[in-house]
Amino acid sequence: MLGKIRNIKLPFWAKLMIFLIFCSLFVVYSIRLFYIMPIDSDYSNLILEASDIIGGNVFLNGWIQTGISFLTTDLLYYIIAVLINGISYNAYVMASGLMLSCMMFSTLPLSIQGGSEA
């Protein structure tokens, strides 16, 4: 039975539609999950840092940072979200959704190649 399923040849547009439907369902589920999860201090700090960077304090002068810098990973998404939503819970949800979407769409080249070569 499983061998018959693996031998089904689908056109490219059908594979693309299946992938887009899966991504849409996953993003909708994840956004719902982000609304359910409470925001913690790390994410609230990122929202405040993004707001301060937008306000002109690009080097975050006066901030006492921990040894972990989210400048090259998460902060870009939070800057975009704070630009659109301001300092709010929706900025957290949007930034998390942006990060998830970028992660999902970065897998597209692997899924087109079949995952055997990268």
Side-chain angles (χ1 to χ4, degrees), residues 99-111:
M99 283 190 284
L100 180 69
S101 299
C102 286
M103 180 198 66
M104 287 295 294
F105 289 118
S106 68
T107 63
L108 186 59
L110 287 175
S111 64

Side-chain angles (χ1 to χ4, degrees), residues 2-59:
L2 188 58
K4 290 181 182 180
I5 293 173
R6 287 185 183 168
N7 292 332
I8 295 174
K9 300 293 181 189
L10 294 174
F12 177 75
W13 64 268
K15 291 179 184 178
L16 184 63
M17 289 300 294
I18 291 171
F19 180 77
L20 291 177
I21 289 170
F22 172 75
C23 285
S24 300
L25 290 174
F26 188 75
V27 168
V28 166
Y29 167 76
S30 299
I31 288 173
R32 176 131 172 97
L33 184 67
F34 292 135
Y35 271 115
I36 293 171
M37 289 179 7
I39 189 170
D40 64 3
S41 62
D42 289 334
Y43 297 118
S44 345
N45 191 33
L46 283 171
I47 290 174
L48 293 175
E49 286 178 14
S51 174
D52 205 18
I53 288 173
I54 292 168
N57 189 6
V58 178
F59 297 110

Side-chain angles (χ1 to χ4, degrees), residues 50-97:
S51 174
D52 205 18
I53 288 173
I54 292 168
N57 189 6
V58 178
F59 297 110
L60 296 174
N61 293 326
W63 283 76
I64 299 174
Q65 298 289 328
T66 62
I68 303 170
S69 172
F70 297 104
L71 185 63
T72 59
T73 55
D74 298 358
L75 197 55
L76 175 64
Y77 301 105
Y78 281 88
I79 289 172
I80 294 168
V82 169
L83 276 172
I84 295 171
N85 290 319
I87 299 176
S88 67
Y89 187 74
N90 288 335
Y92 158 71
V93 172
M94 182 179 189
S96 300

